[in-house]
Amino acid sequence: MRNHLSVTCAAALLASSEVGAFTVRSDSAPTRSSTALYNEAPTASRRRFFGTVGAAAGAVATSSLLQGPVAPAHAAKLSKVNAKLEALGLPAMGKVPDGFSPLLELWGKGANRFPLLVNFAHPLDWVVTTPSLDLNSEDGTVQAGEYGKGDTATFFVYEDEGNVADIASQPKSFFENVLQKAISQKSANIYQNFKVTNIQPTKGGYQDQTYMIVDFKYQLVTGAGFEVDRKAVASVTSQGKAVEALWCASTAVRYKKLEPALRDIASSFRVYSDGLDMLVPKQIVEEY
C-alpha cells in the first residue's frame, strides 16, 4: 500500500512542470496630497513629515528582517526537482552552479520506449527541448543548448549493447562506438577525425552507479562542405536496458571559454530506471 501511494504521489509530481511564483499585492490606500502639509503650521508639518518617513523606514526594515533574502527562481525550481526525486526514493541534486537551472525530464513515455528519468543542470539562458509524444510513440530526445552558437547538451540512449554491468571496465573502443553513434543521430551530420582523448570514472551516489567522463573531439562536415572543429565532454553510464550518455559539445574555438560550464553539465548528469514502469502506462501499438 505504501509503495502504491509513493508511486501515485511521484506520478502526480512528475506530471506537474510549473514552478510556483509569489505575487506581490499592492493595494492603494487614500493619501493626503503634498499641498495639505503646506497648509499646516511649519513645525507640526515637519514633525509629521519626519514621523511618517521614520515609520515607513521602520516598516521596510522590519519587513526585510522577517521575510529574509528572496530566493532566486532557480532555487525554487531546484526544490521542486528534489521533491520529485525524493518522492521516488532517489537522491536529491546537490548545489546547482551559479547561473544554472536544474532539469528533470521523463524520457520514454511512449510505448516504443522504456522509461528513464533524466536529470542534469544547464545554463539558465539555454533553451530546453524534450521528446514529442503522439498516441503510441515518442520521438526526439532531451536537449538543452544555445543552438545559434552550436553549444548543446544532448541525451542519447544506445540500446545495441543492452545493459552493461561494469561500464568502468569497458575498453576505449566501447566509448568511441557509443559516442560516434550519438553525434551521428541526425542523418545530415557527417563527421570525421573522431578521437577520444580521456576517460575518467566517477560515482553517482545511487546504488553504486558509475558514470564515465569522456573527453572527445571531431570535425563536423556541414551540408555546404565546411569543416567545423568541435570538442566535447560526455558522461556515459548504463542503467536499465541500455547505455545512456549526456554529451556536451561546442566549437573548438568556443570550447576554450565554455569548457568549465560543459564539464559542470556533464558532472551533474544522472539517469534512473528503477520503478518507472508503473509511472508510464504502456499503450498497445497496433500493427498496420
Side-chain angles (χ1 to χ4, degrees), residues 57-158:
V60 170
T62 302
S63 176
S64 298
L65 288 171
L66 289 174
Q67 293 180 7
V70 177
H74 81 269
K77 189 171 183 181
L78 177 61
S79 296
K80 192 166 186 177
V81 164
N82 282 339
K84 294 178 180 181
L85 290 169
E86 182 181 355
L88 289 168
L90 299 171
M93 288 187 76
K95 183 181 183 297
V96 173
D98 292 340
F100 275 53
S101 178
L103 183 148
L104 186 67
E105 179 68 26
L106 188 62
W107 180 97
K109 298 175 185 175
N112 60 322
R113 290 176 171 177
F114 57 91
L116 293 166
L117 193 61
V118 181
N119 179 212
F120 63 91
H122 61 83
L124 282 167
D125 56 351
W126 281 21
V127 176
V128 174
T129 59
T130 56
S132 58
L133 180 68
D134 61 20
L135 181 63
N136 285 319
S137 65
E138 181 179 277
D139 187 46
T141 191
V142 182
Q143 186 179 58
E146 192 169 2
Y147 301 109
K149 296 180 179 179
D151 311 331
T152 56
T154 308
F155 178 64
F156 172 68
V157 179
Y158 181 61

Side-chain angles (χ1 to χ4, degrees), residues 28-240:
S28 59
T31 56
R32 301 180 64 181
S33 67
S34 58
T35 54
L37 290 174
Y38 290 104
N39 292 331
E40 300 181 74
T43 302
S45 177
R46 283 194 297 271
R47 186 180 297 117
R48 183 183 298 276
F49 172 77
F50 287 115
T52 302
V53 171
V60 170
T62 302
S63 176
S64 298
L65 288 171
L66 289 174
Q67 293 180 7
V70 177
H74 81 269
K77 189 171 183 181
L78 177 61
S79 296
K80 192 166 186 177
V81 164
N82 282 339
K84 294 178 180 181
L85 290 169
E86 182 181 355
L88 289 168
L90 299 171
M93 288 187 76
K95 183 181 183 297
V96 173
D98 292 340
F100 275 53
S101 178
L103 183 148
L104 186 67
E105 179 68 26
L106 188 62
W107 180 97
K109 298 175 185 175
N112 60 322
R113 290 176 171 177
F114 57 91
L116 293 166
L117 193 61
V118 181
N119 179 212
F120 63 91
H122 61 83
L124 282 167
D125 56 351
W126 281 21
V127 176
V128 174
T129 59
T130 56
S132 58
L133 180 68
D134 61 20
L135 181 63
N136 285 319
S137 65
E138 181 179 277
D139 187 46
T141 191
V142 182
Q143 186 179 58
E146 192 169 2
Y147 301 109
K149 296 180 179 179
D151 311 331
T152 56
T154 308
F155 178 64
F156 172 68
V157 179
Y158 181 61
E159 299 185 53
D160 291 4
E161 297 283 344
N163 180 268
V164 178
D166 187 5
I167 195 138
S169 67
Q170 298 305 305
K172 181 180 178 181
S173 59
F174 170 84
F175 298 100
E176 289 174 339
N177 185 42
V178 171
L179 293 172
Q180 286 180 76
K181 293 285 188 182
I183 66 175
S184 60
Q185 281 300 286
K186 293 184 178 179
S187 58
N189 286 353
I190 302 174
Y191 67 91
Q192 62 189 18
N193 299 326
F194 179 93
K195 184 178 181 180
V196 168
T197 57
N198 189 54
I199 303 174
Q200 185 69 38
T202 183
K203 289 296 182 182
Y206 174 73
Q207 294 188 355
D208 203 35
Q209 283 186 342
T210 298
Y211 292 80
M212 306 298 289
I213 304 300
V214 185
D215 293 270
F216 64 100
K217 60 183 180 180
Y218 61 100
Q219 281 185 324
L220 179 67
V221 182
T222 68
F226 295 106
E227 297 176 354
V228 181
D229 292 329
R230 289 180 65 80
K231 297 185 72 175
V233 57
S235 180
V236 183
T237 189
S238 182
Q239 308 300 323

